[in-house]
Amino acid sequence: MNRRYRKTVIAGNWKMNMTATETKKFAEEMKKIMPRAKWCDTLICVPACNISAALRAFKDLRISVGSENVYFEEKGAYTGEISAGMLRDLGVKYVIVGHSERRERFGETDAGVNKKVHAVLAEGMSPIICVGESLEQREMGVTGEWVTLQVKSALHGVPADKLRRCIVAYEPIWAIGTGKTATAEQAGEVCGNIRATIRAMYGARVARSVTIQYGGSMTPQNAAELLAQPDIDGGLIGGASLKPEQFVEIVNAANQD
Ligand code: PGA
């Protein structure tokens, strides 16, 4: 973390979990234990059908609500899709874009991710842009090149004054939902490379203002060590964000004086 230059952001990603009723229960639990997070912004990305319920339930908790996905077109004949304007109108502030599960299972491409980033920014929201390598790619030694390509494609055509609103989440695919975390050094190194890529594209001042998260089996046990890396400014948390106590412990790790 480096709070002098950029925000620390702890984000939950509920994936396809939790009903609207469970969302309300979660918020009630959180009300008992959620600290006043001075040093970090906190949000949870929920399934689209729960966004309204989450906005209501989290209102007094200082937890913003994010979407797990968006479609890049403004409107039209795209049955089942949801536009950035629709999300903004509800009160959504953040949108996950290009999660590896969407890239792998739903065929999202780097070009599509780029269009989504533009759509989210155009509505004044923050994209959380997910990048990360597979185990095969790590073993082949191409992690750096792969992640650089993903970052460059996602940010293609994005002007420098919008970068402050972009969050990049480095999520090694082999660490997601597996209980295998990248070591703090491994994660810190890739996040450092991501910042170097942004620096090469936009210059040092912009690069140091961008929040870069780590995601992939982040837990209360490993959060502090990961967040101690200078280029890791928060976390994108799946499994542990479903349990109020665990999520709060990670917020606490990011909120140390
Ligand atoms: P995990 O998921 O924390 O359950 O590994 C992270 C993510 O996919 O964003």
Side-chain angles (χ1 to χ4, degrees):
M1 295 186 285
N2 188 334
R3 293 183 186 133
R4 200 163 139 216
Y5 294 122
R6 50 195 176 256
K7 275 196 226 164
T8 302
V9 182
I10 298 294
N13 172 15
W14 277 359
K15 311 193 178 185
M16 200 173 76
N17 294 293
M18 300 286 233
T19 61
T21 310
E22 287 164 343
T23 302
K24 244 173 91 182
K25 252 196 229 144
F26 179 94
E28 275 152 29
E29 284 304 305
M30 287 296 277
K31 275 182 195 148
K32 297 180 202 150
I33 54 176
M34 180 71 183
R36 248 185 99 92
K38 200 163 65 170
W39 295 114
C40 75
D41 288 1
T42 309
L43 66 122
I44 300 183
C45 298
V46 305
C49 60
N50 292 347
I51 286 173
S52 295
L55 281 162
R56 268 196 307 276
F58 298 165
K59 215 170 86 203
D60 306 326
L61 276 165
R62 279 176 232 244
I63 297 177
S64 300
V65 175
S67 174
E68 299 176 11
N69 190 25
V70 66
Y71 192 54
F72 52 76
E73 294 288 357
E74 267 176 48
K75 57 166 80 164
Y78 307 102
T79 303
E81 293 299 326
I82 295 172
S83 73
M86 293 171 185
L87 295 173
R88 197 250 314 126
D89 185 63
L90 283 177
V92 166
K93 300 260 166 57
Y94 299 86
V95 183
I96 297 177
V97 172
H99 191 281
S100 61
E101 285 152 17
R102 296 216 56 88
R103 293 180 191 256
E104 281 192 335
R105 290 174 176 266
F106 303 98
E108 291 208 0
T109 61
D110 284 325
V113 168
N114 177 244
K115 287 184 185 169
K116 291 184 175 194
V117 169
H118 282 279
V120 170
L121 288 170
E123 292 295 338
M125 300 181 292
S126 287
I128 301 178
I129 304 162
C130 299
V131 298
E133 81 288 2
S134 65
L135 186 58
E136 292 75 19
Q137 288 166 330
R138 175 157 285 269
E139 285 170 354
M140 285 190 288
V142 298
T143 298
E145 288 92 334
W146 179 258
V147 171
T148 299
L149 182 82
Q150 288 183 317
V151 171
K152 278 191 172 170
S153 325
L155 294 177
H156 178 72
V158 174
D161 63 343
K162 298 258 171 74
L163 254 281
R164 208 175 267 277
R165 259 200 283 129
C166 294
I167 296 176
V168 179
Y170 167 55
E171 299 206 301
I173 297 171
W174 48 271
I176 296 177
T178 56
K180 272 191 215 152
T181 323
T183 63
E185 291 71 30
Q186 282 173 326
E189 188 190 345
V190 181
C191 291
N193 287 342
I194 291 171
R195 199 174 309 283
T197 301
I198 298 173
R199 192 179 304 124
M201 294 172 80
Y202 293 96
R205 212 161 52 91
V206 171
R208 74 181 181 207
S209 73
V210 175
T211 296
I212 302 178
Q213 297 175 319
Y214 168 79
S217 301
M218 193 185 253
T219 62
Q221 286 71 43
N222 58 31
E225 198 190 348
L226 286 158
L227 293 169
Q229 292 287 319
D231 284 308
I232 300 183
D233 312 306
L236 183 56
I237 297 129
S241 73
L242 295 166
K243 305 196 182 83
E245 334 69 57
Q246 292 197 11
F247 190 59
V248 161
E249 276 192 60
I250 296 175
V251 171
N252 284 335
N255 200 33
Q256 301 299 322
D257 276 322

